[in-house]
Amino acid sequence: NITSNNSSVPFATLVAINDPLRTGPEPDSELIGNVQGMSLLAGSNASSTQYIDFEFNTGKFNGSSLSVFSRGEAGLAVVGGRGQFTMATGTALFNPILINATNVIMEFNFTVIHY
């Protein structure tokens, strides 16, 4: 039971993610894959739980992906992957570059151990 919510985001908001994966924040930077997932905002302080899959469809990691599942803190837990990232573990640190009413641009830095 939430008696007050000072957040600008309503409690229990589910956000679907389906965005391009690029090498940089610029709209014309190289497209290297796709990002899909979901984020559930479930706290009075707009905290979230996220599942996100980063799929690569070009270059050295073509056909591979990295999956994160974690609370929306600065570091997300890498919980697996496909292709070259099978059984991956590690962390994904993110840095918001732009957040406004129509756009979100995030930078992710992965540290990964895989087999």
Side-chain angles (χ1 to χ4, degrees):
N1 294 328
I2 301 243
T3 57
S4 68
N5 184 355
N6 297 327
S7 170
S8 61
V9 180
F11 177 78
T13 299
L14 181 63
V15 177
I17 302 164
N18 186 12
D19 296 311
L21 179 60
R22 299 186 177 276
T23 58
E26 301 81 16
D28 60 347
S29 60
E30 182 184 1
L31 181 65
I32 58 171
N34 188 21
V35 179
Q36 290 185 334
M38 64 183 86
S39 179
L40 176 62
L41 304 165
S44 60
N45 61 353
S47 66
S48 65
T49 300
Q50 301 179 9
Y51 166 74
I52 307 171
D53 187 72
F54 298 80
E55 178 185 35
F56 300 92
N57 57 24
T58 64
K60 178 180 178 182
F61 300 114
N62 185 20
S64 299
S65 74
L66 284 165
S67 297
V68 299
F69 183 78
S70 195
R71 305 254 338 229
E73 307 298 329
L76 301 173
V78 175
V79 296
R82 294 181 286 118
Q84 293 188 46
F85 296 116
T86 298
M87 297 178 60
T89 61
T91 60
L93 301 176
F94 67 90
N95 177 37
I97 293 177
L98 170 70
I99 299 175
N100 63 32
T102 57
N103 293 296
V104 174
I105 299 175
M106 302 289 263
E107 173 185 55
F108 285 85
N109 291 299
F110 284 85
T111 301
V112 177
I113 298 170
H114 61 97
Y115 301 93

